Amino acid sequence: MLSACSKKEALPEPIRAVKLLTVGEGKIEAAQEFTGDVRARVESRLGFRVGGKIIKREVELGQRVKAGQVLARLDARDYQLSADAARAQVASATTQRDLAQANAQRFRALRAQNFISAAEMERYEANLKAAQASLDQAKAQLSSQSNQENYTQLLADVDGVITSVDAEPGQVVAAGTPVVRIAQDGARDAVFAVPEDRRASIRMGQGVQVKPWSDESQVVRGLVREVAASADPATRTYQIKAALQGTDLPALGATVRVVPEGMSVANTAVGGSVIKLPTTALRQDGGGGQGTAVWLFDPASSTVQLQSVQVATADGNEAVIASGLKPGMQVVATGVHVLNPGQKVTVYRDKYAKPQEKPASNQPQAQDSKAPAATEGVAPAAPVTAEGGK
């Protein structure tokens, strides 16, 4: 009973093996590239001007169409019946007009001989005008019903390519519901998105270089023609449209790499030396107030301590550090979210790794063959030996 009530001794904290890298200086190598795609300057969503059931679709996705070509058809039987009724109404109104016209002509002769009064003659003239108005109304109704019947065929307004199909045969659609989308032939744009910190670097008329992924040797020049005024609510990025110039342009929908001209990297001098770390070495504190930090290794005590850093920008897959580190410091390269301040660690060494030749003096050296180098252009630090680890 006494042993059951006694407190259990806390297990000693495990000594973890960590991969280290030596902080050095290097140059910004990655260009400011953004991924985008090629779109037509004008894309139109086409729909029927009347509602009904789609009975046939005449085009497929990616098909090239000409102006006036039939794209889809609706069931037109109800509209045909309405048009037939309007034709019958025209025929009836024509008969009434002809009868009123004959009566008016006959009574004009009688009025010339004073056999009828002027008031009686005016009544027949009014009947003729009413019959003529009824005929005009019937003809207008027939024209409207004929148009409704013609609207059951969806026609292409311009030459272009079908880029989207939004309705299928058998579907009942309302008037104006998009059925297909056409990318019009002509001018094309390279459309890409930039983060908020790059939005101020993009301006109207700025030149860009567009490189298709399928053929990196092809470079097309473009000019920024549209910059979104507000960010996308989902991605929080700003959409940019650059008008492509030239005749040999990438195909519609092609993925391209867009390099804006004259775009500098924030908080760094072009061509200057900066400190870069792999993103795996960064630790983001969710609510402790530490912000972005790295683990510094102390060779004397074989422990690690948090060091706050400020990230200026990204250079490819590496983060450019603006402040918080100096060349020669040793930081943990991976596994940063399983360490605690003051924790004892040992340096990880791959026992299966082959011995490496001594690197050139201008290359950085990590503590492990698999650990990524922090930067280029710095002499390696002496190997670190952790004491007390197993």
Side-chain angles (χ1 to χ4, degrees):
M1 291 177 61
L2 293 176
S3 62
C5 296
S6 62
K7 295 183 180 180
K8 295 183 179 180
E9 295 182 0
L11 296 176
E13 191 173 10
I15 299 178
R16 299 184 181 274
V18 295
K19 295 181 180 181
L20 301 179
L21 58 86
T22 303
V23 176
E25 292 184 344
K27 295 183 179 180
I28 295 292
E29 298 176 357
Q32 295 295 304
E33 284 188 356
F34 302 94
T35 302
D37 59 339
V38 177
R39 302 180 190 176
R41 178 73 57 84
V42 180
E43 289 189 80
S44 304
R45 291 185 178 271
L46 302 184
F48 292 101
R49 298 174 67 174
V50 295
K53 180 180 179 180
I54 300 177
I55 59 174
K56 191 173 183 180
R57 178 166 54 82
E58 302 285 355
V59 294
E60 299 294 338
L61 184 65
Q63 180 177 339
R64 178 167 293 279
V65 297
K66 298 291 184 181
Q69 182 175 340
V70 179
L71 306 178
R73 302 177 189 271
L74 290 179
D75 186 357
R77 286 176 293 181
D78 292 343
Y79 296 102
Q80 291 172 352
L81 293 175
S82 298
D84 292 341
R87 292 188 187 94
Q89 188 67 27
V90 170
S92 175
T94 300
T95 301
Q96 295 296 328
R97 192 278 312 271
D98 293 343
L99 178 60
Q101 187 175 12
N103 289 334
Q105 186 175 2
R106 182 169 55 254
F107 281 97
R108 285 193 193 99
L110 295 178
R111 177 69 183 100
Q113 299 176 9
N114 290 326
F115 288 152
I116 60 173
S117 64
E120 186 71 10
M121 187 66 231
E122 290 176 357
R123 185 168 65 86
Y124 284 103
E125 293 287 354
N127 290 340
L128 175 59
K129 293 180 180 179
Q132 183 62 46
S134 297
L135 177 59
D136 294 340
Q137 181 182 7
K139 288 182 177 180
Q141 186 68 23
L142 174 60
S143 179
S144 175
Q145 292 299 329
S146 298
N147 289 339
Q148 297 286 313
E149 182 181 358
N150 294 333
Y151 293 155
T152 59
Q153 293 185 351
L154 182 61
L155 306 180
D157 297 334
V158 294
D159 297 346
V161 178
I162 302 297
T163 58
S164 175
V165 176
D166 303 323
E168 297 293 341
Q171 183 175 344
V172 177
V173 296
T177 301
V179 176
V180 297
R181 182 171 60 187
I182 294 183
Q184 298 185 15
D185 288 344
R188 297 178 185 176
D189 292 336
V191 182
F192 60 100
V194 299
E196 186 175 357
D197 61 342
R198 297 291 183 268
R199 165 65 177 79
S201 302
I202 303 295
R203 61 187 183 279
M204 298 292 293
Q206 181 177 352
V208 298
Q209 292 184 354
V210 180
K211 304 175 183 179
W213 277 19
S214 58
D215 184 9
E216 295 186 358
S217 62
Q218 181 185 4
V219 179
V220 180
R221 180 174 170 77
L223 295 176
V224 175
R225 71 171 188 86
E226 182 179 318
V227 179
S230 59
D232 183 271
T235 63
R236 307 308 302 167
T237 58
Y238 291 80
Q239 187 181 76
I240 310 297
K241 294 182 179 180
L244 299 181
Q245 299 177 334
T247 55
D248 186 15
L249 301 179
L252 290 175
T255 303
V256 294
R257 295 184 295 123
V258 183
V259 182
E261 298 176 356
M263 196 170 183
S264 60
V265 182
N267 299 329
T268 59
V270 177
S273 297
V274 294
I275 293 177
K276 298 188 293 183
L277 292 178
T279 55
T280 56
L282 302 181
R283 181 181 186 276
Q284 192 70 28
D285 191 352
Q290 191 72 23
T292 304
V294 297
W295 291 105
L296 287 182
F297 178 73
D298 183 8
S301 60
S302 297
T303 59
V304 290
Q305 298 294 338
L306 276 178
Q307 173 64 36
S308 298
V309 296
Q310 182 180 359
V311 178
T313 184
D315 184 25
N317 293 326
E318 295 180 310
V320 178
I321 306 301
S323 62
L325 293 178
K326 295 180 180 180
M329 291 182 174
Q330 292 175 324
V331 299
V332 178
T334 58
V336 296
H337 293 285
V338 296
L339 300 176
N340 296 314
Q343 181 177 353
K344 281 188 172 293
V345 297
T346 180
V347 179
Y348 172 79
R349 301 184 186 278
D350 188 358
K351 62 181 179 179
Y352 299 105
K354 296 181 180 180
Q356 294 183 347
E357 296 181 359
K358 185 177 181 180
S361 60
N362 60 342
Q363 296 294 332
Q365 180 180 4
Q367 296 302 318
D368 180 74
S369 59
K370 293 183 178 180
T375 55
E376 295 181 359
V378 178
V384 178
T385 303
E387 297 179 359
K390 294 184 180 180

